[in-house]
Amino acid sequence: MSWSVSEVRRMSGVTSRTLRHYHHIGLLEPEDVDPGGRRRYGRRELRRLQRILLLRELGLGLAEIRRVLDDERDEVTALRGHLSTLEAERGRLDTLIETVRRTVDALEGDDVNAIRPEELFEGFDAGRYEERARSTWPEQWERARAATEEMSPEEADRMRAEAVERMERMAAHLRAGTPVDDPAVRAEVADLHRGLTRMWTPDAAAFAHLGRVYAEEGPWREVHEKVAPGLADYQRAAMEDYAHHVLAEDGER
Amino acid sequence: MSWSVSEVRRMSGVTSRTLRHYHHIGLLEPEDVDPGGRRRYGRRELRRLQRILLLRELGLGLAEIRRVLDDERDEVTALRGHLSTLEAERGRLDTLIETVRRTVDALEGDDVNAIRPEELFEGFDAGRYEERARSTWPEQWERARAATEEMSPEEADRMRAEAVERMERMAAHLRAGTPVDDPAVRAEVADLHRGLTRMWTPDAAAFAHLGRVYAEEGPWREVHEKVAPGLADYQRAAMEDYAHHVLAEDGER
DNA sequence: CTTGCGGTTGACGCGACGTCAAGATCTAAC
DNA sequence: GTTAGATCTTGACGTCGCGTCAACCGCAAG
């Protein structure tokens, strides 16, 4: 008793292409092939196909399925390994979904979540930092002061708005659990760095220091934390990573 | 101010291959290409790359990203669409994980979940059905009776064990939410059908009827429900589908 | 003899690149 | 000027599980 491709197709619902594929990769060989080259499947093959389909439905890859069926690799072990893969995947999806949802909310500007720059920087007093900046990098401080002085109010507003946008994007990375050395975060920090070069060009040490200043207790930190909890520290870590691995000459691999 | 491939790589962490890929598919064109053919990226391109990386991190495909960036397609709309895709995917994963977990439990034979055939068929009385079977298909009933009479006790045990295994597999399909016309379920039912042919060869009507008998109130149903709630009805549906679409000549497409 | 069915073997396509392989070009050292 | 070495280029194949043509072949019925 043996069955042709179309009979197997009718019985099991798999397409002939799938059967050919399984034959090709040696996962399911026909019982025999008649002189005309047509495949014939016996009872054993149908049982095997049945097991293949069950395991496939459970999400195992064909290579893994072959290992289970041929090497008689322990099915339970294989499935348990697969299970943790699946759970990790679901965890990834969970945070991804959460991140996308928040990003949508932020972009929508729901009035509730909307952060207006004026409000964010309200009561902001950089005075405390001026002193130190002036004494540590007097030249850069002078250039920065000159640059900000030349700015029109509209320009200043736009800069603040841009800063908020950057914070929002950074917060998205933070919520996604993206490591600080990920390309996307690197690109973001690189952009921040490029933005700063309009006033001065911080080297590795200065850039890392700036990150730490942002994260210190004080108005800078508050502004960041108002956008998202943990943002200040996250950004500091990202900036330090950038300083070490990108700006420092000896930091590259 | 422009940057070479390796500079961009250092800044953003993307590989040169990725940049070439994005160039190839027109997602990110270099600002210009010098006479030697080397790519150079400007500030605009870096900003674009940054947005690409953010959207990619949120799980969007490159085609979708291009649509958002070029046609200025609404970012929020795109993300919301994406969000529902992600949520559907997570739902799929949820049931998949649950199914795999239960399958592992069943295979492990945790003593707790182990269903011993003797126990399952304990107190089983097919007598109520014999009457009807004998009157409806007298010939087949006679063949079945003869076949079972010839069986050794070991054979009978093995048959019961096989029946339990089949029920377990069916239960896995049920819990996975697999539709009854899925290849994997078809293959399972086909196997059941082949098993029956050792005694007789039911046609479409008889096979569908057998499915309904299994699902009726009574010991057959109880045996199935003991393995998994809903199994009796699920199997009936699967058998009816098989009868209509596979066994019936006019049922195929 | 033709038509049609059911089967066959390639081969490309998908998505987002990784990974060689072979050659071209730029930079610094000699 | 030459040459080594770093950097960069363009192909092209591999991944995973098949879907989807395209072209052809053998067999039975009209």
Side-chain angles (χ1 to χ4, degrees):
Chain A
M1 186 109 257
S2 73
W3 293 268
S4 74
V5 165
S6 64
E7 283 165 336
V8 175
R9 185 179 65 74
R10 259 201 306 280
M11 282 190 286
S12 67
V14 298
T15 68
S16 76
R17 182 64 182 87
T18 299
L19 289 175
R20 294 203 297 119
H21 183 57
Y22 291 173
H23 187 186
H24 195 69
I25 64 175
L27 177 59
L28 178 67
E29 316 247 347
E31 190 182 40
D32 77 328
V33 180
D34 73 14
R38 297 148 118 98
R39 292 165 238 268
R40 301 237 114 222
Y41 296 86
R43 213 181 292 272
R44 266 217 328 283
E45 287 70 34
L46 290 182
R47 296 279 275 167
R48 188 178 168 93
L49 174 58
Q50 179 189 327
R51 296 198 63 194
I52 291 171
L53 293 177
L54 174 60
L55 292 176
R56 197 187 58 171
E57 192 184 292
L58 296 183
L60 270 78
L62 298 187
E64 186 64 20
I65 292 178
R66 178 162 43 199
R67 249 165 290 167
V68 171
L69 295 186
D70 290 352
D71 314 354
E72 273 314 327
R73 203 191 139 189
D74 189 6
E75 201 166 338
V76 178
T77 311
L79 281 180
R80 253 204 295 259
H82 183 53
L83 189 56
S84 52
T85 308
L86 291 177
E87 280 167 346
E89 181 65 12
R90 181 175 55 180
R92 225 180 46 78
L93 262 187
D94 278 344
T95 62
L96 188 53
I97 286 174
E98 191 55 17
T99 308
V100 173
R101 209 196 308 271
R102 298 219 207 188
T103 305
V104 168
D105 284 354
L107 287 175
E108 257 178 341
D110 263 6
D111 285 352
V112 185
N113 295 332
I115 297 174
R116 282 174 302 111
E118 318 84 79
E119 170 185 327
L120 195 63
F121 290 98
E122 204 161 75
F124 183 88
D125 173 26
R128 278 183 47 198
Y129 295 92
E130 288 192 3
E131 191 72 23
R132 199 171 56 184
R134 188 162 41 186
S135 58
T136 318
W137 299 285
E139 198 181 323
Q140 289 84 343
W141 186 83
E142 174 53 31
R143 287 237 302 281
R145 199 195 50 76
T148 43
E149 218 151 73
E150 275 174 14
M151 265 193 272
S152 64
E154 297 84 45
E155 272 183 298
D157 273 359
R158 210 169 49 76
M159 271 199 68
R160 275 195 288 269
E162 273 175 24
V164 172
E165 280 173 33
R166 196 187 339 271
M167 287 186 215
E168 289 287 7
R169 286 194 302 267
M170 265 299 200
H173 294 308
L174 162 65
R175 287 186 294 246
T178 315
V180 291
D181 60 347
D182 184 276
V185 178
R186 285 262 168 97
E188 191 64 49
V189 178
D191 186 53
L192 169 62
H193 184 257
R194 278 199 308 281
L196 286 175
T197 60
R198 277 182 290 188
M199 302 197 200
W200 59 305
T201 305
D203 61 8
F207 194 65
H209 178 78
L210 186 61
R212 288 191 293 273
V213 167
Y214 282 162
E216 275 175 19
E217 288 307 326
W220 287 109
R221 183 184 182 88
E222 272 174 40
V223 164
H224 283 88
E225 294 297 308
K226 216 178 283 182
V227 173
L231 182 57
D233 290 326
Y234 183 76
Q235 174 155 301
R236 177 191 48 73
M239 288 174 73
E240 284 187 342
D241 172 85
Y242 191 83
H244 287 351
H245 296 292
V246 180
L247 295 180
E249 309 293 317
D250 60 344
E252 56 181 334
R253 6 150 249 144
Chain B
M1 185 111 255
S2 75
W3 292 269
S4 75
V5 165
S6 65
E7 284 166 336
V8 174
R9 184 179 66 75
R10 259 201 306 279
M11 282 189 287
S12 67
V14 298
T15 69
S16 75
R17 182 63 181 86
T18 299
L19 289 175
R20 294 203 296 119
H21 184 56
Y22 290 174
H23 186 186
H24 196 69
I25 64 174
L27 177 59
L28 178 66
E29 317 248 347
E31 190 182 41
D32 77 328
V33 180
D34 72 15
R38 294 148 122 97
R39 299 167 172 77
R40 300 236 115 224
Y41 295 86
R43 214 181 290 271
R44 265 217 329 283
E45 287 71 33
L46 291 181
R47 296 280 274 169
R48 187 178 168 96
L49 174 59
Q50 179 189 326
R51 296 198 62 194
I52 291 171
L53 294 177
L54 175 60
L55 292 175
R56 195 187 60 170
E57 194 184 291
L58 296 181
L60 270 77
L62 298 188
E64 187 63 22
I65 291 178
R66 178 162 43 199
R67 249 165 289 166
V68 171
L69 296 187
D70 290 352
D71 314 354
E72 275 314 326
R73 203 190 139 192
D74 188 6
E75 202 166 336
V76 177
T77 310
L79 281 179
R80 253 203 296 259
H82 183 54
L83 190 56
S84 52
T85 308
L86 291 177
E87 280 168 346
E89 181 64 13
R90 182 176 54 181
R92 224 181 47 79
L93 262 186
D94 278 344
T95 62
L96 188 53
I97 285 173
E98 191 56 17
T99 308
V100 173
R101 209 197 306 274
R102 298 219 207 189
T103 305
V104 168
D105 285 353
L107 288 176
E108 256 178 343
D110 263 5
D111 286 353
V112 184
N113 296 333
I115 298 173
R116 283 175 302 111
E118 317 84 82
E119 171 185 325
L120 194 63
F121 289 98
E122 203 161 76
F124 183 88
D125 174 27
R128 278 183 47 199
Y129 296 93
E130 288 193 5
E131 190 73 25
R132 197 171 56 184
R134 187 161 42 187
S135 58
T136 318
W137 298 286
E139 197 182 325
Q140 289 85 344
W141 185 85
E142 174 53 31
R143 288 237 304 280
R145 198 196 50 77
T148 44
E149 219 152 73
E150 277 173 13
M151 266 194 271
S152 65
E154 297 84 46
E155 271 184 298
D157 273 357
R158 212 170 48 76
M159 272 199 67
R160 275 196 287 269
E162 273 176 24
V164 173
E165 280 173 31
R166 197 191 334 276
M167 287 186 217
E168 289 287 7
R169 286 195 302 267
M170 265 300 200
H173 294 308
L174 162 65
R175 287 186 293 245
T178 315
V180 291
D181 60 346
D182 183 276
V185 179
R186 285 262 168 97
E188 192 63 48
V189 179
D191 185 55
L192 168 62
H193 183 257
R194 278 198 308 281
L196 286 175
T197 59
R198 276 181 290 189
M199 305 199 198
W200 60 304
T201 305
D203 61 8
F207 194 65
H209 178 78
L210 186 62
R212 287 191 293 270
V213 167
Y214 282 163
E216 276 175 19
E217 288 307 326
W220 286 109
R221 183 185 181 87
E222 271 174 40
V223 164
H224 282 87
E225 294 297 308
K226 217 178 282 184
V227 173
L231 181 57
D233 290 326
Y234 183 75
Q235 174 155 300
R236 178 192 45 74
M239 287 174 74
E240 284 189 340
D241 171 84
Y242 191 82
H244 286 352
H245 296 292
V246 180
L247 296 180
E249 311 293 317
D250 60 343
E252 56 182 333
R253 4 153 248 143

